[in-house]
């Protein structure tokens, strides 16, 4: 087992812009930052998941109640 | 006539790839409704009635309302998943199941909607054995592969097909000291196999000597192929050591990718190939939810526009 490469989050808070439906990223002092624009297969936080066998609705695991992935290691 | 039907984007808040797609759709004047299924029920609601005329109703977020009968397309990205942290584990399990099959079931049943990709089809395609079988049927070269929990079978396969590698069949959350870890794709020999193999399923695959890797991104019927050069067995482990070159696929490969996607009912796929020393492409895997946007600034390929075209249903 090795640590998956993880992009360290530089923002401290996110919210949805109601007009654009895009995410606003804020730094630790509440100033809007540029979007990180990663989008590689490096791990990302917070937890996300893609479609899962047998549920597909983003329920975190293979339909049987597995713990949700804490990192997105999808490529 | 202007198409006023919205594009639904299903993802968590920290998804820069979704943002660039939404930005492109905004510039084109295409309405977007973004939501995270994990926001249900606090900030997401679904009201669906199933009638003799089909499903009808609305999906509502704090900022948008979508008519379930008039969704142009749905881009299924990376939702955070249903969660009920205020409930005890048993009640939470019940509530999650109701949300999954209720809200998830409605989201998966929108009439006339183009799914990029349909979440259930994504689930089907995430099984590596199914993907490898589909790849052979589609006409790809596929390295000899074994899935087993029998140490003797593993040793025999490795002795016959080595050098070979071990790959996890799936990568669930695995934390060591609170750090998420994964099993490194690595070469393995028959001598390294012990009885631990009997503990669960393992995938072993012949290692094809390579001169490079290929990432092919298929968006609708458009195929974008990039050669990736590095000194890494698995290029995904260090993006700083990669060199990118746009390439054309060999004859028949593009059609095979479209056949593969059609087999699973997908309209998007991120294919990984190993480029052999004789120039042939060997199928490694296809991720139905793979990342792709990072390749645009590296290569200039118009991936974001292609994705917006697909979601707008222009392609």
């Amino acid at each position: 087992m090795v640590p998956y490469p993880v992009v360290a989050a530089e923002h401290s808070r996110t919210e949805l812009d109601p007009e654009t439906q895009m995410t606003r990223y804020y730094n630790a002092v509440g100033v809007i930052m540029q979007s990180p624009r990663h989008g590689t297969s490096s791990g990302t936080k917070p937890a996300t998941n893609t479609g899962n066998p047998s549920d597909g609705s983003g329920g975190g695991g293979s339909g049987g109640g597995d713990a949700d992935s804490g990192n997105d290691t999808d490529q | 006539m202007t198409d006023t039907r919205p594009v639904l984007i299903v993802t968590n808040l920290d998804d820069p790839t979704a943002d660039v797609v939404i930005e492109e759709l905004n510039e084109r004047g295409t309405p977007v409704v973004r939501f995270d299924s994990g926001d249900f029920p606090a900030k997401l609601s679904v009201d669906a009635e199933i009638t003799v005329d089909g499903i009808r109703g609305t999906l509502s977020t704090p900022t948008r309302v979508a008519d379930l009968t008039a969704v142009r397309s749905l881009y299924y990205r990376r939702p955070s998943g249903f969660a009920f942290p205020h409930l005890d584990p048993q009640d939470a399990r019940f509530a999650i199941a109701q949300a999954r099959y209720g809200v998830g079931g409605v989201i998966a049943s929108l009439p006339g909607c183009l799914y990029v990709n349909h979440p259930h089809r994504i689930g089907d395609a995430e099984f590596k054995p199914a993907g490898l079988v589909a790849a052979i049927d589609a006409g790809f070269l596929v390295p000899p592969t074994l899935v087993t929990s029998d140490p003797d079978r593993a040793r025999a396969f490795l002795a016959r097909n080595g050098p070979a590698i071990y790959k996890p069949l799936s990568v669930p959350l695995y934390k060591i000291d609170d750090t998420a870890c994964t099993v490194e794709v690595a070469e393995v020999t028959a001598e390294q196999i012990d009885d631990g193999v009997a503990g669960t399923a393992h995938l072993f695959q012949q290692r094809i000597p390579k001169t490079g890797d290929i990432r092919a991104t298929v968006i609708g019927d458009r195929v974008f192929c990039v050669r990736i050069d590095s000194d890494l067995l698995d290029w995904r482990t260090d993006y700083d050591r990669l060199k990118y070159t746009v390439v054309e696929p060999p004859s028949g490969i593009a059609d095979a990718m479209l056949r593969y996607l059609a087999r699973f009912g997908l309209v998007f796929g991120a294919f990984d190939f190993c480029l052999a020393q004789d120039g042939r492409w060997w199928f490694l895997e296809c991720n139905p939810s793979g990342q792709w946007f990072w390749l645009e600034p590296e290569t200039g390929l118009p991936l974001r526009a292609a994705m917006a075209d697909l979601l707008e249903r222009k392609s």
Side-chain angles (χ1 to χ4, degrees):
Chain A
M1 282 285 179
V2 294
Y4 211 93
V6 169
V7 178
E10 295 176 357
H11 58 274
S12 62
R13 188 171 67 85
T14 55
E15 69 178 20
L16 191 68
D17 183 319
E19 293 301 316
T20 66
Q21 299 286 288
M22 294 166 63
T23 297
R24 293 179 186 143
Y25 290 84
Y26 293 89
N27 67 15
V29 292
V31 175
I32 290 184
M33 306 164 51
Q34 188 177 358
S35 162
R37 301 211 167 191
H38 48 76
T40 67
S41 70
S42 299
T44 56
K45 290 182 176 179
T48 62
N49 55 265
T50 58
N52 292 296
S54 82
D55 70 332
S57 55
S62 302
D66 287 351
D68 195 5
S69 169
N71 283 268
D72 174 5
T73 54
D74 236 17
Q75 62 285 356
Chain B
M1 197 172 76
T2 303
D3 190 343
T4 58
R5 294 174 301 162
V7 174
L8 269 50
I9 311 278
V10 190
T11 197
N12 76 99
L13 261 183
D14 187 12
D15 183 355
T17 299
D19 281 333
V20 299
V21 172
I22 293 169
E23 185 176 44
E24 177 84 17
L25 292 170
N26 286 343
E27 288 168 5
R28 298 179 180 200
T30 301
V32 170
V33 177
R34 175 179 180 158
F35 65 94
D36 184 356
S37 44
D39 287 342
F40 177 81
K43 291 189 291 183
L44 170 69
S45 63
V46 168
D47 175 19
E49 185 175 353
I50 288 105
T51 73
V52 291
D53 297 320
I55 196 165
R56 54 182 54 186
T58 54
L59 179 146
S60 303
T61 76
T63 58
R64 295 281 196 279
V65 176
D67 179 342
L68 298 178
T69 65
V71 174
R72 191 182 324 197
S73 60
L74 183 146
Y75 188 16
Y76 194 88
R77 281 283 303 170
R78 283 157 168 72
S80 61
F82 298 111
F84 296 85
H86 59 290
L87 299 179
D88 67 56
Q90 182 158 263
D91 287 343
R93 196 161 53 242
F94 180 82
I96 288 170
Q98 304 317 301
R100 178 177 294 154
Y101 289 97
V103 177
V106 169
I107 290 170
S109 305
L110 303 175
C113 171
L114 173 71
Y115 288 91
V116 184
N117 283 310
H118 193 289
H120 298 177
R121 304 290 89 75
I122 292 172
D124 293 344
E126 284 182 337
F127 289 87
K128 278 194 169 67
L132 293 169
V133 170
I136 290 168
D137 290 347
F140 292 119
L141 291 168
V142 176
T145 304
L146 175 70
V147 178
T148 191
S149 59
D150 182 336
D152 290 334
R153 283 284 291 125
R155 288 189 197 96
F157 176 85
L158 295 171
R160 194 170 62 246
N161 293 289
I165 55 176
Y166 164 78
K167 286 183 189 175
L169 283 146
S170 181
V171 186
L173 177 63
Y174 195 106
K175 280 185 170 181
I176 299 175
D177 295 334
D178 210 36
T179 298
C181 293
T182 188
V183 177
E184 210 169 14
V185 175
E187 200 163 302
V188 60
T189 64
E191 293 70 35
Q192 291 174 293
I193 298 299
D194 62 25
D195 288 345
V197 168
T200 189
H202 293 66
L203 185 150
F204 301 98
Q205 188 170 68
Q206 186 175 67
R207 179 178 180 181
I208 305 299
K210 69 177 183 181
T211 58
D213 290 281
I214 302 289
R215 164 53 67 92
T217 308
V218 180
I219 303 173
D221 58 3
R222 301 183 68 183
V223 176
F224 302 94
C225 300
V226 178
R227 173 176 174 152
I228 300 175
D229 288 291
S230 73
D231 55 354
L232 301 165
L233 174 60
D234 183 350
W235 56 263
R236 299 167 301 183
T237 54
D238 188 352
Y239 283 79
D240 293 333
R241 290 160 65 182
L242 308 181
K243 179 169 165 283
Y244 302 96
T245 312
V246 175
V247 294
E248 287 299 316
S251 174
I253 291 285
D255 285 342
M257 285 191 274
L258 295 174
R259 278 197 298 276
Y260 179 98
L261 294 178
R263 159 91 168 247
F264 283 108
L266 304 170
V267 295
F268 168 90
F271 290 80
D272 287 322
F273 296 93
C274 164
L275 179 57
Q277 288 160 338
D278 61 5
R280 293 191 296 175
W281 290 19
W282 288 76
F283 175 94
L284 297 178
E285 62 184 54
C286 174
N287 187 336
S289 304
Q291 294 283 18
W292 51 270
F293 179 67
W294 98 98
L295 285 168
E296 179 159 318
E298 295 286 356
T299 63
L301 288 171
L303 301 169
R304 168 169 51 174
M307 180 58 78
D309 286 346
L310 179 62
L311 291 167
E312 285 194 305
R313 307 185 68 165
K314 287 181 176 171
S315 64

